[in-house]
Amino acid sequence: MTTSTDTALLTVLDDWQTAIVANDADAIATFMTDDWIIVSETGITPAARFLDLVRSGALTHSAMQRVGEPHIRHHGDTALLTTRVTNTAHFQGRRFDADEWTTDVFLRTGDHWRCALTHITTRKPD
């Protein structure tokens, strides 16, 4: 059953992905807490580093979308949103096509949800 909070979270995620594809670091930052981190196979990257890469043009995205049904769990003003995401990124001139499982930890402050942590896991082909 999808709740209004689930719908709000998915809207935030979709809008955040739109900002990422627009390569707009300032817009991307509005969806993240100041201490946001992303955890990937290369380790932990803090928000400032991620946003600097976008601002410099060293990291760009040309596509990003959710695939399939999300898994959402609520714990008060914290929500865990896990979903599959496909994206196309360019890092330092090299293209990367990714198919990943992502888990985002969102915190609600007032009427706004912002992401505090993103963890990505590469999806194995079927």
Side-chain angles (χ1 to χ4, degrees):
M1 177 171 93
T2 301
T3 68
S4 61
T5 301
D6 292 349
T7 300
L9 279 166
L10 292 174
T11 298
V12 168
L13 180 62
D14 292 343
D15 291 348
W16 188 16
Q17 290 177 342
T18 298
I20 291 170
V21 171
N23 300 299
D24 183 340
D26 293 335
I28 294 167
T30 66
F31 295 92
M32 304 153 65
T33 61
D34 292 339
D35 60 350
W36 174 88
I37 59 171
I38 186 168
V39 180
S40 69
E41 68 277 0
T42 60
I44 297 172
T45 303
R49 173 79 176 130
F50 182 86
L51 295 170
D52 285 347
L53 289 168
V54 173
R55 280 189 186 96
S56 72
L59 175 63
T60 62
H61 288 81
S62 58
M64 181 173 283
Q65 71 177 52
R66 286 187 292 120
V67 177
E69 290 299 313
H71 181 83
I72 302 172
R73 291 292 177 257
H74 303 276
H75 303 278
D77 288 333
T78 302
L80 308 174
L81 192 163
T82 301
T83 193
R84 185 173 155 207
V85 174
T86 59
N87 71 81
T88 300
H90 295 80
F91 183 64
Q92 298 179 337
R94 291 188 54 215
R95 178 181 169 146
F96 295 90
D97 293 297
D99 187 347
E100 303 164 321
W101 290 101
T102 66
T103 298
D104 292 302
V105 177
F106 283 94
L107 306 176
R108 180 174 38 206
T109 53
D111 292 337
H112 302 286
W113 287 98
R114 293 183 13 163
C115 188
L117 179 139
T118 297
H119 187 276
I120 59 176
T121 303
T122 301
R123 181 181 170 271
K124 285 186 177 183
D126 294 333

